[in-house]
Amino acid sequence: MKLAESSFLLLFIKGANHFGPDCMSDQGNDSETQRNRNFPVFSVCLLIKTVSLTGGINESVSSLIITNTLSWFFCLFRGLFSKKHIEPKSPSQNVPGWKLFGKVAARESPPKDSRTIQQEYEARAGKAGSGGTSPTQPQHGRRKNLDFEPLSTTALILEDRPSNLPAKPVEEAQRHRQEYDEMVAEAKKRELKEAQRKRKEMKERFKQEDSIANAMVVWNHDILPNWDNMRNTRRVRELWWQGLPPNVRGKVWSLAIGNELNITPELYDIFLSRAKERWRSFSETGSEADDGASLADRESSLDLIKLDISRTFPPLFIFQKGGPYHDLLHSVLGAYTCYRPDVGYVQGMSFIAAVLILNLEEADAFIAFANLLNKPCQLAFFRVDHDLMLKYFAAFEVFFEENLPRLFNHFQISNLTPDLYLIDWIFTLYSKSLPLDVACRVWDVFCRDGEEFLFRTGLGILRLYEDVLLQMDFIHSAQFLTRLPEDIDSDRLFACIVAMPMLNGNKKWSQVSSSKHKKTGK
C-alpha cells in the first residue's frame, strides 16, 4: 500500500510539473496554454485514483495537491488580466485626415494657404493649356484622386468633385472658373483700395505730425518769448487758426484769456480751504449753512457738483469717482463757488473746467476758469440773464439769415428758435457737443477772437449740416442739433466756418451785438 501511494504521488507531482511551469510565463504557445487549462481535470483524476487505491489521503499528499492547484489558478488569472502588447502604428495610421466626402490618411506636408493653392492651380492650368487640354474640361477615364484639405471656399472652387460623385459638366466648370476669377478680382480691388486708404491716412498723419512739430518750435522759440509784440501779427494769427500744438496750448490759452481778476495761486488755496470746510459741514449736518447766501449760491450744493462731475466726458473715465482727475475737478469747481457766490455753480461749468484741467496745472486752471467765466457773454449765460441772452440770440439770427437764408426760413416755419440749441453750445463752449480734439481747436480760435467765434462756429455747424436739416421737422432738427454726430471732421467744420463771414452789410458782430444791447439799456 505504501508503494502504490508513493507511485501515485510521484505521478501526480510529474503531472503538476508538466502542466504548471509553463503557465508562469506569458510567452507560452497555444498548445501549452491548452494543457494548462486541463490541469484541474488531471488533478481531480489523480485525486480520485489515489483515494480508491489508498483508502485516503495523508496530509503530505493533500497539501501538495492544494498547493499545485492554487498555483494553477494564480497563473490562470494572471493570464486573463495581463496587459496585451500593442504594436505601435505608423503616424499615417494614427492620425486620420479628411477630404470633402470621406476619411483619408493625413498628409505629412503642412497645410497650404489659399494663395499657395491658387498658384499651384494656375501652374497646373498653364501646363494643361500648353498640352492642348482645357483645365476646366473633366478628364474621362481615370479621375484625379482628391486627397486634399479644403482650406476655404477658394479651394473648393479650384478642385474637382470627389471621385465618388459625377464629374462637373463643362459649362458648370467654366462658370465656376469665371465666378472664381470675378471673386479674386473683386478681392484684389478691395485690398488695393484699403491699402491706398491706409497709405493716405498714414501720409496725412505724418504730415500733421511734422506740421505740429514745426509749429511747436515756432511757438516756443519765436512767439511765446515775444508774446505782447507778436500775438496780433498776421503770421501768428494764421498759425493760431491752424490749431495750437498740444504742449503749448495751455500756455497760449492762459495768456490769451488773461488775468483781469488778479487771482493768485495763494488765493485759490484760500477758497479751496473754504470749500472743503463747507463740504465737511455739509457731510456732518446734511445741509449747507444758510448764511444769507443767494439762490445761485445754494444751487452750488455738493450734490449738484457731484452729479455734474459724473456726467463730464464719461467716455474718458478720468473725471468720474475714482478717476485721476475727479478730486481735481471737484476742487476747482468748489473753490469757484466760494469765490463767486453770486454766480454759484451752474450745470455745464464742469465741462469748461475739465478742458482747462487737461491742459493746465490746478491753480492755473482755476485762474483761467474764473477769468473766462467773467467775460460778458459767459457771465450773461451763467448768471442766466434772460434779457442779455435774448439779445445774443437776436444778434445771432441776423447773421444766420444773412449767410443761410434757406435754412433760416426753414427754422422759422418749424418754430425752431436759437435758444433750443445755442444754450448748450455756449454753456459748455462746444466741449460737450463736439469731439474733444475738435472742441479744443474751437477753443484755440475762441481765445483769439472772443465771443464772436462762438456764434460763428454755430453758423459753421449749421452750414455743415444744412442739407440734412432742410429735410427734418422741428423735433428731429432739435434732437440732431443737441446731439451732433461724433465723426465731425475739424477741417470740414473749419472750412464751413470760413465760409461764414460775420458781416451784415457793413456791420460786424461787435456792432450788431452792441446795437441789440443798447435797445435794452444794457
Side-chain angles (χ1 to χ4, degrees):
M1 188 64 65
K2 293 289 182 181
L3 179 61
E5 181 179 340
S6 300
S7 300
F8 281 106
L9 180 59
L10 179 62
L11 180 61
F12 179 81
I13 293 173
K14 288 184 178 180
N17 291 333
H18 176 72
F19 287 96
D22 290 337
C23 74
M24 301 298 293
S25 173
D26 293 335
Q27 306 297 329
N29 55 29
D30 294 340
S31 60
E32 292 172 343
T33 303
Q34 184 63 33
R35 289 201 309 271
N36 291 337
R37 293 173 181 172
N38 294 333
F39 174 68
V41 178
F42 178 77
S43 299
V44 172
C45 292
L46 285 176
L47 180 61
I48 295 173
K49 189 67 176 176
T50 302
V51 172
S52 62
L53 293 176
T54 62
I57 301 177
N58 58 21
E59 293 180 0
S60 60
V61 175
S62 175
S63 60
L64 182 61
I65 293 175
I66 292 173
T67 301
N68 280 272
T69 305
L70 291 175
S71 174
W72 179 87
F73 275 108
F74 172 77
C75 295
L76 176 63
F77 280 105
R78 181 184 175 190
L80 290 175
F81 296 101
S82 62
K83 295 182 180 179
K84 300 297 182 180
H85 181 69
I86 301 176
E87 293 294 333
K89 295 182 180 180
S90 62
S92 60
Q93 294 175 346
N94 288 336
V95 183
W98 293 90
K99 65 177 182 179
L100 192 60
F101 295 98
K103 195 173 184 181
V104 298
R107 298 180 305 172
E108 296 182 359
S109 59
K112 303 176 182 179
D113 56 15
S114 58
R115 185 182 296 275
T116 304
I117 294 175
Q118 178 183 350
Q119 292 174 353
E120 292 179 356
Y121 179 83
E122 292 176 351
R124 291 197 303 270
K127 292 180 181 180
S130 60
T133 305
S134 173
T136 58
Q137 292 180 353
Q139 297 180 357
H140 299 285
R142 188 180 66 177
R143 288 179 55 83
K144 180 180 176 182
N145 184 20
L146 299 177
D147 295 341
F148 70 94
E149 297 180 26
L151 302 178
S152 64
T153 54
T154 304
L156 295 178
I157 292 175
L158 293 179
E159 299 291 346
D160 293 332
R161 290 176 179 169
S163 57
N164 59 335
L165 294 178
K168 290 182 181 180
V170 177
E171 296 79 4
E172 183 180 356
Q174 291 177 348
R175 187 178 72 255
H176 288 176
R177 178 63 189 180
Q178 182 180 0
E179 292 175 353
Y180 167 74
D181 292 339
E182 292 175 354
M183 290 168 59
V184 171
E186 188 65 26
K188 288 181 178 179
K189 285 182 180 179
R190 288 196 301 268
E191 291 177 359
L192 181 61
K193 187 176 180 180
E194 182 68 15
Q196 290 175 348
R197 184 186 66 81
K198 289 183 178 180
R199 283 197 299 268
K200 184 178 179 181
E201 289 181 354
M202 192 68 66
K203 186 177 179 180
E204 291 178 353
R205 194 167 107 190
F206 289 154
K207 183 179 178 181
Q208 185 180 9
E209 290 177 355
D210 293 339
S211 176
I212 292 174
N214 296 331
M216 180 181 62
V217 174
V218 174
W219 280 98
N220 284 323
H221 291 82
D222 299 337
I223 301 175
L224 291 178
N226 305 293
W227 175 255
D228 294 332
N229 296 327
M230 297 192 65
R231 63 174 300 177
N232 293 320
T233 61
R234 182 176 179 180
R235 179 192 179 193
V236 172
R237 292 182 66 84
E238 288 178 354
L239 284 175
W240 214 329
W241 178 269
Q242 295 172 7
L244 298 173
N247 64 333
V248 301
R249 176 167 279 152
K251 180 65 175 178
V252 174
W253 286 359
S254 295
L255 292 172
I257 294 172
N259 188 12
E260 295 179 354
L261 300 174
N262 296 319
I263 302 174
T264 61
E266 292 76 16
L267 188 62
Y268 166 67
D269 292 335
I270 292 173
F271 286 110
L272 179 58
S273 299
R274 292 183 184 178
K276 290 181 178 179
E277 182 63 30
R278 200 165 157 192
W279 295 333
R280 191 178 303 110
S281 174
F282 179 86
S283 61
E284 293 175 356
T285 62
S287 62
E288 296 186 53
D290 188 2
D291 53 357
S294 63
L295 176 62
D297 185 28
R298 289 195 296 272
E299 285 182 350
S300 61
S301 64
L302 182 62
D303 288 339
L304 184 57
I305 293 177
K306 285 184 176 180
L307 177 63
D308 220 15
I309 288 177
S310 65
R311 297 181 294 195
T312 303
F313 296 119
L316 299 181
F317 296 106
I318 58 177
F319 296 105
Q320 286 64 39
K321 189 172 182 59
Y325 291 106
H326 173 269
D327 294 340
L328 190 60
L329 180 58
H330 200 272
S331 298
V332 171
L333 295 175
Y336 180 77
T337 59
C338 292
Y339 174 71
R340 291 297 299 264
D342 59 320
V343 178
Y345 179 79
V346 181
Q347 289 186 355
M349 286 184 178
S350 61
F351 282 90
I352 299 177
V355 174
L356 292 171
I357 287 171
L358 291 174
N359 292 277
L360 293 166
E361 296 297 330
E362 181 177 353
D364 295 330
F366 175 79
I367 295 171
F369 181 71
N371 282 276
L372 183 59
L373 298 191
N374 199 50
K375 303 294 183 182
C377 180
Q378 279 65 50
L379 199 58
F381 276 80
F382 284 110
R383 295 181 70 172
V384 197
D385 190 330
H386 293 284
D387 292 335
L388 278 178
M389 292 171 65
L390 291 175
K391 300 314 169 186
Y392 276 110
F393 296 150
F396 172 79
E397 285 189 309
V398 171
F399 295 95
F400 186 7
E401 184 179 12
E402 181 75 20
N403 290 281
L404 300 169
R406 290 180 58 210
L407 187 60
F408 177 79
N409 292 331
H410 178 69
F411 280 9
Q412 290 287 320
I413 296 173
S414 302
N415 292 322
L416 185 63
T417 54
D419 58 289
L420 295 176
Y421 50 89
L422 273 182
I423 286 180
D424 192 48
W425 295 353
I426 302 300
F427 263 107
T428 61
L429 300 181
Y430 296 97
S431 57
K432 179 183 177 182
S433 305
L434 297 176
L436 186 57
D437 58 331
V438 181
C440 286
R441 189 174 173 186
V442 171
W443 276 49
D444 293 342
V445 187
F446 162 64
C447 291
R448 186 195 76 171
D449 295 346
E451 65 184 36
E452 172 186 338
F453 189 73
L454 294 178
F455 296 95
R456 191 179 182 186
T457 301
L459 293 176
I461 294 174
L462 296 176
R463 169 69 180 268
L464 181 62
Y465 296 108
E466 180 180 13
D467 295 336
V468 177
L469 293 169
L470 286 172
Q471 308 299 322
M472 294 182 178
D473 57 11
F474 170 83
I475 296 178
H476 292 90
S477 297
Q479 291 175 345
F480 182 86
L481 292 175
T482 53
R483 194 184 182 101
L484 295 172
E486 298 180 356
D487 58 347
I488 296 179
D489 182 72
S490 61
D491 293 330
R492 290 185 58 203
L493 175 60
F494 272 74
C496 293
I497 294 174
V498 171
M500 297 288 104
M502 300 300 282
L503 289 173
N504 178 240
N506 295 326
K507 294 182 179 180
K508 298 181 179 179
W509 166 265
S510 58
Q511 295 172 324
V512 174
S513 178
S514 298
S515 64
K516 297 294 183 182
H517 292 170
K518 287 179 181 178
K519 292 180 181 180
T520 61
K522 295 186 179 182

